Amino acid sequence: MAAASPIAVITGASSGIGAATARQLASAGFRVVLTARRKDRIEALAAEITEAGHEATAYALDVTDRAAVDEFATAFRTLAVLVNNAGGALGADPVATGDPADWRQMYETNVIGTLNVTQALLPALTASGNGTVVILSSTAGLSTYEGGGGYVAAKHGEHVLAETLRLEIVGTPVRVIEVAPGMVKTEEFATTRFRGDTEKAAKVYAGVDAPLSADDVADTITWAITRPSHVNIDLLVVRPRAQASNSKVHRTA
């Protein structure tokens, strides 16, 4: 009898990096479990992956709802991979005028959401004897930039969560990988940040020859996960060539 495919849970899998990661992990031989709030999107993606000959299931989940996360976790006795991708940014206001509600929502989604899912699934990851936790942070978690205070604060929190967890579970069969992308152009990130203002969203990438794509980031995530189990990619920072830092970007126009 063939061994069952290892299971990988991906949060925020309804679009962008999460959806791209689900496709690539499925192609790499994982049975992917897609979670997000938008049930229709993840069900469509699961059908697409299944039609391509891979294994995928969809589960509607809000990572900030701890009771729902705990219920979700009961489905797993063992688990190979957790990709904490759910998150996002809201607004680009300075600290002096930023909306505390936006800050709170970003912290709840990026930090508490990651904490909820990681805590709930860590026993199953440990029981697998060879588990991997991936935390998708951002270069915003490593340095600051004007207008990014709330998002930067949340991503710094997520970065510290990854570092601390790695220290605390060393000696267990679970590794902690952090992937920190720079400028990534996806269909929703900037548009969501600017509440549907497509003109503002387009300015983020204006004149940048080739920002990263969701597939570029998914490729680095999949590469890190598929290293031999004794190899831990602690922190992988990936930016487009045109971006030297959060505030230094080469634009052709």
Side-chain angles (χ1 to χ4, degrees):
M1 183 181 294
S5 301
I7 301 171
V9 169
I10 302 101
T11 69
S14 59
S15 66
I17 294 169
T21 299
R23 292 186 182 98
Q24 293 200 27
L25 286 178
S27 295
F30 288 89
R31 180 184 137 204
V32 293
V33 179
L34 319 175
T35 75
R37 290 175 297 177
R38 294 179 292 184
K39 185 179 180 181
D40 58 331
R41 296 287 293 267
I42 54 174
E43 286 181 342
L45 179 57
E48 173 199 317
I49 291 171
T50 301
E51 288 168 9
H54 309 303
E55 298 178 90
T57 57
Y59 190 102
L61 183 67
D62 179 349
V63 297
T64 68
D65 183 341
R66 184 54 187 258
V69 170
D70 287 341
E71 175 64 25
F72 169 68
T74 63
F76 304 96
R77 185 175 59 83
T78 65
L79 178 66
V81 174
L82 165 61
V83 179
N84 284 295
N85 168 72
L90 287 174
D93 299 313
V95 172
T97 58
D99 186 344
D102 287 348
W103 284 55
R104 187 173 294 108
Q105 185 173 337
M106 285 186 280
Y107 190 84
E108 286 286 339
T109 306
N110 291 281
V111 183
I112 302 302
T114 295
L115 178 67
N116 284 341
V117 181
T118 302
Q119 285 183 337
L121 291 177
L122 193 57
L125 288 156
T126 305
S128 74
N130 184 22
T132 299
V133 175
V134 177
I135 293 177
L136 190 77
S137 61
S138 167
T139 54
L142 307 176
S143 62
T144 61
Y145 61 92
E146 293 167 289
Y151 183 62
V152 166
K155 285 302 184 181
H156 270 69
E158 203 171 12
H159 168 66
V160 170
L161 190 161
E163 281 195 334
T164 306
L165 178 63
R166 191 179 302 113
L167 291 171
E168 292 172 344
I169 66 171
V170 66
T172 72
V174 178
R175 56 188 179 173
V176 180
I177 293 169
E178 180 183 359
V179 176
M183 181 182 285
V184 186
K185 186 177 183 180
T186 64
E187 66 268 30
E188 293 186 328
F189 181 83
T191 303
T192 298
R193 182 172 204 167
F194 295 111
R195 294 176 172 82
D197 189 327
T198 55
E199 186 175 341
K200 279 188 178 180
K203 287 180 180 178
V204 174
Y205 312 104
V208 180
D209 183 48
L212 296 177
S213 68
D215 283 332
D216 292 329
V217 181
D219 184 53
T220 65
I221 293 170
T222 302
W223 174 82
I225 289 169
T226 55
R227 295 311 86 208
S229 61
H230 70 286
V231 177
N232 196 104
I233 308 300
D234 283 16
L235 173 61
L236 193 161
V237 177
V238 53
R239 305 181 194 265
R241 185 174 62 190
Q243 184 183 32
S245 74
N246 288 344
S247 56
K248 180 69 172 180
V249 180
H250 174 70
R251 299 180 190 269
T252 56

